[in-house]
Amino acid sequence: MTAFWTEADYDDHELVEVVRDPKSGLTAIIALHSTHLGPGAGGTRFWHYANPEDAMRDALRLSRGMSYKNAMAGLPMGGGKAVILADEDKTKTPEMLAAFADAVEGLGGKYVTAEDVGISEADMAAVAERTQYVSGLPVSGEDAAGGDPGPFTALGIFLGIKAAVKHKLGKDSMDGVHVAIQGTGSVGGGVARLLAKEGAKLTLSDIHMDRCKALAAELDAECVGPDAIMAVACDVFSPNALGAILDDEGIAKLDCKVVAGGANNQLKRPEHGPMLAKRGILYAPDYVINAGGIISVTLEYLCRNDKAPCDINEVRKRIALIPGRLEQIWQESDKSGVSPDQVADKMAQELIGR
């Protein structure tokens, strides 16, 4: 493995810490990209990586994405991310979570964590027993912000898809619009249910085919295999699983007019955004459209620190601003000829002083 600071995904990160606790078996990476706007905020991913290079790449890319996401969402937070390297069986123990919590506490508030892929609200509650720098905790009452960020992420993506359909297709309604959704978990499933209520035609896919088929039956949708979803002829392709799927091969498969979904780091490399634009496919930058979850957990964290109640309506009001940010990006892209991802990156970089 080469030195991580020579990798393409290293972007002058302020801190990259490898955490090892042999007693519990914990190996984790905490990456802080920028604290220009505030503490680095971003979730913890629990995942089995075939190679340690993949874990480092994930931490670097995801933490940079969080800097951009938080800045574009108008939040007083920087960008950070953690990955816990799981074994093939994805064994997770209380001792591992405790050791990870101690590492977060040891950073003294520079990094604020929350749940991500493979981590639950219950896991975050366990982490919170040993550090205060955690969000996405279980909340009581329907009007309280916080808890599982998935539904809030899904709401922002749904609103972003509607904005993209209006911008690209000139349609004010989702009725009859065909959306192919990759991933039917908390986020993708939430997006699917919201779209179904508005009359969209849905094609779904998931590596867990039983889950896909169950949701398809619920929503009167079609379910196809994971290898087929990117080639489905549709109006909108919505990736809501893992990232880096928009590479040369993936983009060549697409038969859609819009790409708008919640997966992080959908573009494998910087050249793939312009490649989408060259094909005439409108792209919704992932860290702009999928900001609903971080909006929720950040407001929860800030309110808890201020010992003040946090109204869920404030979260919804901020999520409702996502379509406007996307429209601003698309209008600038249309005017300048620069792809939407590059327009968004420039905006975000200016916000974090880069």
mmCIF file with all atom_site columns, all heavy atoms in Angstrom, residues 302-317:
data_model
loop_
_atom_site.group_PDB
_atom_site.id
_atom_site.type_symbol
_atom_site.label_atom_id
_atom_site.label_alt_id
_atom_site.label_comp_id
_atom_site.label_asym_id
_atom_site.label_entity_id
_atom_site.label_seq_id
_atom_site.pdbx_PDB_ins_code
_atom_site.Cartn_x
_atom_site.Cartn_y
_atom_site.Cartn_z
_atom_site.occupancy
_atom_site.B_iso_or_equiv
_atom_site.pdbx_formal_charge
_atom_site.auth_seq_id
_atom_site.auth_comp_id
_atom_site.auth_asym_id
_atom_site.auth_atom_id
_atom_site.pdbx_PDB_model_num
ATOM 1   N N   . LEU A 1 302 ? -26.787 20.032 17.391 1.00 0.00 ? 302 LEU A N   1
ATOM 2   C CA  . LEU A 1 302 ? -26.671 21.422 17.827 1.00 0.00 ? 302 LEU A CA  1
ATOM 3   C C   . LEU A 1 302 ? -27.699 21.756 18.896 1.00 0.00 ? 302 LEU A C   1
ATOM 4   O O   . LEU A 1 302 ? -27.394 22.447 19.876 1.00 0.00 ? 302 LEU A O   1
ATOM 5   C CB  . LEU A 1 302 ? -26.829 22.357 16.623 1.00 0.00 ? 302 LEU A CB  1
ATOM 6   C CG  . LEU A 1 302 ? -25.728 22.253 15.556 1.00 0.00 ? 302 LEU A CG  1
ATOM 7   C CD1 . LEU A 1 302 ? -26.083 23.123 14.348 1.00 0.00 ? 302 LEU A CD1 1
ATOM 8   C CD2 . LEU A 1 302 ? -24.368 22.646 16.123 1.00 0.00 ? 302 LEU A CD2 1
ATOM 9   N N   . CYS A 1 303 ? -28.919 21.266 18.717 1.00 0.00 ? 303 CYS A N   1
ATOM 10  C CA  . CYS A 1 303 ? -29.963 21.531 19.713 1.00 0.00 ? 303 CYS A CA  1
ATOM 11  C C   . CYS A 1 303 ? -29.631 20.861 21.038 1.00 0.00 ? 303 CYS A C   1
ATOM 12  O O   . CYS A 1 303 ? -29.844 21.441 22.109 1.00 0.00 ? 303 CYS A O   1
ATOM 13  C CB  . CYS A 1 303 ? -31.319 21.037 19.202 1.00 0.00 ? 303 CYS A CB  1
ATOM 14  S SG  . CYS A 1 303 ? -31.999 22.014 17.840 1.00 0.00 ? 303 CYS A SG  1
ATOM 15  N N   . ARG A 1 304 ? -29.111 19.641 20.978 1.00 0.00 ? 304 ARG A N   1
ATOM 16  C CA  . ARG A 1 304 ? -28.764 18.949 22.216 1.00 0.00 ? 304 ARG A CA  1
ATOM 17  C C   . ARG A 1 304 ? -27.652 19.685 22.956 1.00 0.00 ? 304 ARG A C   1
ATOM 18  O O   . ARG A 1 304 ? -27.675 19.811 24.187 1.00 0.00 ? 304 ARG A O   1
ATOM 19  C CB  . ARG A 1 304 ? -28.352 17.504 21.914 1.00 0.00 ? 304 ARG A CB  1
ATOM 20  C CG  . ARG A 1 304 ? -28.175 16.663 23.179 1.00 0.00 ? 304 ARG A CG  1
ATOM 21  C CD  . ARG A 1 304 ? -28.046 15.181 22.878 1.00 0.00 ? 304 ARG A CD  1
ATOM 22  N NE  . ARG A 1 304 ? -26.832 14.881 22.143 1.00 0.00 ? 304 ARG A NE  1
ATOM 23  C CZ  . ARG A 1 304 ? -26.788 14.449 20.896 1.00 0.00 ? 304 ARG A CZ  1
ATOM 24  N NH1 . ARG A 1 304 ? -27.909 14.272 20.223 1.00 0.00 ? 304 ARG A NH1 1
ATOM 25  N NH2 . ARG A 1 304 ? -25.639 14.197 20.309 1.00 0.00 ? 304 ARG A NH2 1
ATOM 26  N N   . ASN A 1 305 ? -26.676 20.193 22.215 1.00 0.00 ? 305 ASN A N   1
ATOM 27  C CA  . ASN A 1 305 ? -25.595 20.965 22.843 1.00 0.00 ? 305 ASN A CA  1
ATOM 28  C C   . ASN A 1 305 ? -26.105 22.244 23.481 1.00 0.00 ? 305 ASN A C   1
ATOM 29  O O   . ASN A 1 305 ? -25.594 22.703 24.507 1.00 0.00 ? 305 ASN A O   1
ATOM 30  C CB  . ASN A 1 305 ? -24.515 21.301 21.809 1.00 0.00 ? 305 ASN A CB  1
ATOM 31  C CG  . ASN A 1 305 ? -23.564 20.137 21.585 1.00 0.00 ? 305 ASN A CG  1
ATOM 32  O OD1 . ASN A 1 305 ? -23.727 19.075 22.196 1.00 0.00 ? 305 ASN A OD1 1
ATOM 33  N ND2 . ASN A 1 305 ? -22.587 20.322 20.734 1.00 0.00 ? 305 ASN A ND2 1
ATOM 34  N N   . ASP A 1 306 ? -27.125 22.844 22.853 1.00 0.00 ? 306 ASP A N   1
ATOM 35  C CA  . ASP A 1 306 ? -27.714 24.082 23.386 1.00 0.00 ? 306 ASP A CA  1
ATOM 36  C C   . ASP A 1 306 ? -28.787 23.804 24.427 1.00 0.00 ? 306 ASP A C   1
ATOM 37  O O   . ASP A 1 306 ? -29.395 24.741 24.953 1.00 0.00 ? 306 ASP A O   1
ATOM 38  C CB  . ASP A 1 306 ? -28.323 24.907 22.246 1.00 0.00 ? 306 ASP A CB  1
ATOM 39  C CG  . ASP A 1 306 ? -27.269 25.450 21.298 1.00 0.00 ? 306 ASP A CG  1
ATOM 40  O OD1 . ASP A 1 306 ? -26.092 25.532 21.705 1.00 0.00 ? 306 ASP A OD1 1
ATOM 41  O OD2 . ASP A 1 306 ? -27.612 25.769 20.151 1.00 0.00 ? 306 ASP A OD2 1
ATOM 42  N N   . LYS A 1 307 ? -29.034 22.485 24.662 1.00 0.00 ? 307 LYS A N   1
ATOM 43  C CA  . LYS A 1 307 ? -30.098 22.073 25.592 1.00 0.00 ? 307 LYS A CA  1
ATOM 44  C C   . LYS A 1 307 ? -31.435 22.709 25.215 1.00 0.00 ? 307 LYS A C   1
ATOM 45  O O   . LYS A 1 307 ? -32.169 23.226 26.063 1.00 0.00 ? 307 LYS A O   1
ATOM 46  C CB  . LYS A 1 307 ? -29.719 22.409 27.041 1.00 0.00 ? 307 LYS A CB  1
ATOM 47  C CG  . LYS A 1 307 ? -28.486 21.650 27.539 1.00 0.00 ? 307 LYS A CG  1
ATOM 48  C CD  . LYS A 1 307 ? -28.171 21.989 28.977 1.00 0.00 ? 307 LYS A CD  1
ATOM 49  C CE  . LYS A 1 307 ? -27.089 21.105 29.544 1.00 0.00 ? 307 LYS A CE  1
ATOM 50  N NZ  . LYS A 1 307 ? -25.847 21.064 28.769 1.00 0.00 ? 307 LYS A NZ  1
ATOM 51  N N   . ALA A 1 308 ? -31.719 22.687 23.916 1.00 0.00 ? 308 ALA A N   1
ATOM 52  C CA  . ALA A 1 308 ? -32.954 23.284 23.395 1.00 0.00 ? 308 ALA A CA  1
ATOM 53  C C   . ALA A 1 308 ? -33.720 22.244 22.585 1.00 0.00 ? 308 ALA A C   1
ATOM 54  O O   . ALA A 1 308 ? -33.106 21.362 21.970 1.00 0.00 ? 308 ALA A O   1
ATOM 55  C CB  . ALA A 1 308 ? -32.630 24.490 22.510 1.00 0.00 ? 308 ALA A CB  1
ATOM 56  N N   . PRO A 1 309 ? -35.050 22.313 22.590 1.00 0.00 ? 309 PRO A N   1
ATOM 57  C CA  . PRO A 1 309 ? -35.828 21.393 21.749 1.00 0.00 ? 309 PRO A CA  1
ATOM 58  C C   . PRO A 1 309 ? -35.575 21.674 20.270 1.00 0.00 ? 309 PRO A C   1
ATOM 59  O O   . PRO A 1 309 ? -35.290 22.807 19.888 1.00 0.00 ? 309 PRO A O   1
ATOM 60  C CB  . PRO A 1 309 ? -37.282 21.704 22.129 1.00 0.00 ? 309 PRO A CB  1
ATOM 61  C CG  . PRO A 1 309 ? -37.245 23.089 22.670 1.00 0.00 ? 309 PRO A CG  1
ATOM 62  C CD  . PRO A 1 309 ? -35.908 23.255 23.318 1.00 0.00 ? 309 PRO A CD  1
ATOM 63  N N   . CYS A 1 310 ? -35.644 20.633 19.479 1.00 0.00 ? 310 CYS A N   1
ATOM 64  C CA  . CYS A 1 310 ? -35.375 20.779 18.039 1.00 0.00 ? 310 CYS A CA  1
ATOM 65  C C   . CYS A 1 310 ? -36.607 20.335 17.266 1.00 0.00 ? 310 CYS A C   1
ATOM 66  O O   . CYS A 1 310 ? -36.976 19.164 17.279 1.00 0.00 ? 310 CYS A O   1
ATOM 67  C CB  . CYS A 1 310 ? -34.167 19.953 17.646 1.00 0.00 ? 310 CYS A CB  1
ATOM 68  S SG  . CYS A 1 310 ? -33.373 20.544 16.150 1.00 0.00 ? 310 CYS A SG  1
ATOM 69  N N   . ASP A 1 311 ? -37.239 21.281 16.601 1.00 0.00 ? 311 ASP A N   1
ATOM 70  C CA  . ASP A 1 311 ? -38.490 21.040 15.896 1.00 0.00 ? 311 ASP A CA  1
ATOM 71  C C   . ASP A 1 311 ? -38.215 20.386 14.548 1.00 0.00 ? 311 ASP A C   1
ATOM 72  O O   . ASP A 1 311 ? -37.402 20.869 13.760 1.00 0.00 ? 311 ASP A O   1
ATOM 73  C CB  . ASP A 1 311 ? -39.206 22.380 15.701 1.00 0.00 ? 311 ASP A CB  1
ATOM 74  C CG  . ASP A 1 311 ? -40.605 22.227 15.133 1.00 0.00 ? 311 ASP A CG  1
ATOM 75  O OD1 . ASP A 1 311 ? -40.966 21.101 14.728 1.00 0.00 ? 311 ASP A OD1 1
ATOM 76  O OD2 . ASP A 1 311 ? -41.328 23.235 15.068 1.00 0.00 ? 311 ASP A OD2 1
ATOM 77  N N   . ILE A 1 312 ? -38.920 19.302 14.263 1.00 0.00 ? 312 ILE A N   1
ATOM 78  C CA  . ILE A 1 312 ? -38.744 18.606 13.007 1.00 0.00 ? 312 ILE A CA  1
ATOM 79  C C   . ILE A 1 312 ? -39.126 19.483 11.815 1.00 0.00 ? 312 ILE A C   1
ATOM 80  O O   . ILE A 1 312 ? -38.631 19.293 10.701 1.00 0.00 ? 312 ILE A O   1
ATOM 81  C CB  . ILE A 1 312 ? -39.559 17.290 13.009 1.00 0.00 ? 312 ILE A CB  1
ATOM 82  C CG1 . ILE A 1 312 ? -39.068 16.357 11.900 1.00 0.00 ? 312 ILE A CG1 1
ATOM 83  C CG2 . ILE A 1 312 ? -41.043 17.576 12.872 1.00 0.00 ? 312 ILE A CG2 1
ATOM 84  C CD1 . ILE A 1 312 ? -39.664 14.978 11.978 1.00 0.00 ? 312 ILE A CD1 1
ATOM 85  N N   . ASN A 1 313 ? -39.979 20.469 12.044 1.00 0.00 ? 313 ASN A N   1
ATOM 86  C CA  . ASN A 1 313 ? -40.372 21.356 10.945 1.00 0.00 ? 313 ASN A CA  1
ATOM 87  C C   . ASN A 1 313 ? -39.190 22.192 10.450 1.00 0.00 ? 313 ASN A C   1
ATOM 88  O O   . ASN A 1 313 ? -39.132 22.548 9.267  1.00 0.00 ? 313 ASN A O   1
ATOM 89  C CB  . ASN A 1 313 ? -41.517 22.272 11.385 1.00 0.00 ? 313 ASN A CB  1
ATOM 90  C CG  . ASN A 1 313 ? -42.816 21.506 11.544 1.00 0.00 ? 313 ASN A CG  1
ATOM 91  O OD1 . ASN A 1 313 ? -43.100 20.604 10.772 1.00 0.00 ? 313 ASN A OD1 1
ATOM 92  N ND2 . ASN A 1 313 ? -43.587 21.849 12.567 1.00 0.00 ? 313 ASN A ND2 1
ATOM 93  N N   . GLU A 1 314 ? -38.256 22.508 11.355 1.00 0.00 ? 314 GLU A N   1
ATOM 94  C CA  . GLU A 1 314 ? -37.054 23.236 10.925 1.00 0.00 ? 314 GLU A CA  1
ATOM 95  C C   . GLU A 1 314 ? -36.210 22.358 10.004 1.00 0.00 ? 314 GLU A C   1
ATOM 96  O O   . GLU A 1 314 ? -35.634 22.840 9.023  1.00 0.00 ? 314 GLU A O   1
ATOM 97  C CB  . GLU A 1 314 ? -36.236 23.660 12.145 1.00 0.00 ? 314 GLU A CB  1
ATOM 98  C CG  . GLU A 1 314 ? -34.962 24.425 11.814 1.00 0.00 ? 314 GLU A CG  1
ATOM 99  C CD  . GLU A 1 314 ? -35.201 25.744 11.080 1.00 0.00 ? 314 GLU A CD  1
ATOM 100 O OE1 . GLU A 1 314 ? -36.289 26.337 11.245 1.00 0.00 ? 314 GLU A OE1 1
ATOM 101 O OE2 . GLU A 1 314 ? -34.296 26.161 10.331 1.00 0.00 ? 314 GLU A OE2 1
ATOM 102 N N   . VAL A 1 315 ? -36.152 21.065 10.316 1.00 0.00 ? 315 VAL A N   1
ATOM 103 C CA  . VAL A 1 315 ? -35.442 20.124 9.439  1.00 0.00 ? 315 VAL A CA  1
ATOM 104 C C   . VAL A 1 315 ? -36.101 20.100 8.067  1.00 0.00 ? 315 VAL A C   1
ATOM 105 O O   . VAL A 1 315 ? -35.425 20.194 7.029  1.00 0.00 ? 315 VAL A O   1
ATOM 106 C CB  . VAL A 1 315 ? -35.433 18.713 10.061 1.00 0.00 ? 315 VAL A CB  1
ATOM 107 C CG1 . VAL A 1 315 ? -34.792 17.707 9.103  1.00 0.00 ? 315 VAL A CG1 1
ATOM 108 C CG2 . VAL A 1 315 ? -34.698 18.724 11.392 1.00 0.00 ? 315 VAL A CG2 1
ATOM 109 N N   . ARG A 1 316 ? -37.411 19.985 8.052  1.00 0.00 ? 316 ARG A N   1
ATOM 110 C CA  . ARG A 1 316 ? -38.140 19.915 6.771  1.00 0.00 ? 316 ARG A CA  1
ATOM 111 C C   . ARG A 1 316 ? -37.983 21.198 5.970  1.00 0.00 ? 316 ARG A C   1
ATOM 112 O O   . ARG A 1 316 ? -37.868 21.155 4.738  1.00 0.00 ? 316 ARG A O   1
ATOM 113 C CB  . ARG A 1 316 ? -39.618 19.625 7.038  1.00 0.00 ? 316 ARG A CB  1
ATOM 114 C CG  . ARG A 1 316 ? -39.862 18.208 7.551  1.00 0.00 ? 316 ARG A CG  1
ATOM 115 C CD  . ARG A 1 316 ? -41.304 17.992 7.899  1.00 0.00 ? 316 ARG A CD  1
ATOM 116 N NE  . ARG A 1 316 ? -41.551 16.624 8.332  1.00 0.00 ? 316 ARG A NE  1
ATOM 117 C CZ  . ARG A 1 316 ? -42.435 16.277 9.259  1.00 0.00 ? 316 ARG A CZ  1
ATOM 118 N NH1 . ARG A 1 316 ? -43.162 17.233 9.864  1.00 0.00 ? 316 ARG A NH1 1
ATOM 119 N NH2 . ARG A 1 316 ? -42.605 15.015 9.593  1.00 0.00 ? 316 ARG A NH2 1
ATOM 120 N N   . LYS A 1 317 ? -37.963 22.336 6.645  1.00 0.00 ? 317 LYS A N   1
ATOM 121 C CA  . LYS A 1 317 ? -37.780 23.611 5.936  1.00 0.00 ? 317 LYS A CA  1
ATOM 122 C C   . LYS A 1 317 ? -36.422 23.660 5.256  1.00 0.00 ? 317 LYS A C   1
ATOM 123 O O   . LYS A 1 317 ? -36.295 24.137 4.124  1.00 0.00 ? 317 LYS A O   1
ATOM 124 C CB  . LYS A 1 317 ? -37.931 24.796 6.909  1.00 0.00 ? 317 LYS A CB  1
ATOM 125 C CG  . LYS A 1 317 ? -39.369 25.146 7.244  1.00 0.00 ? 317 LYS A CG  1
ATOM 126 C CD  . LYS A 1 317 ? -39.491 26.502 7.888  1.00 0.00 ? 317 LYS A CD  1
ATOM 127 C CE  . LYS A 1 317 ? -38.898 26.532 9.268  1.00 0.00 ? 317 LYS A CE  1
ATOM 128 N NZ  . LYS A 1 317 ? -39.124 27.827 9.963  1.00 0.00 ? 317 LYS A NZ  1
#
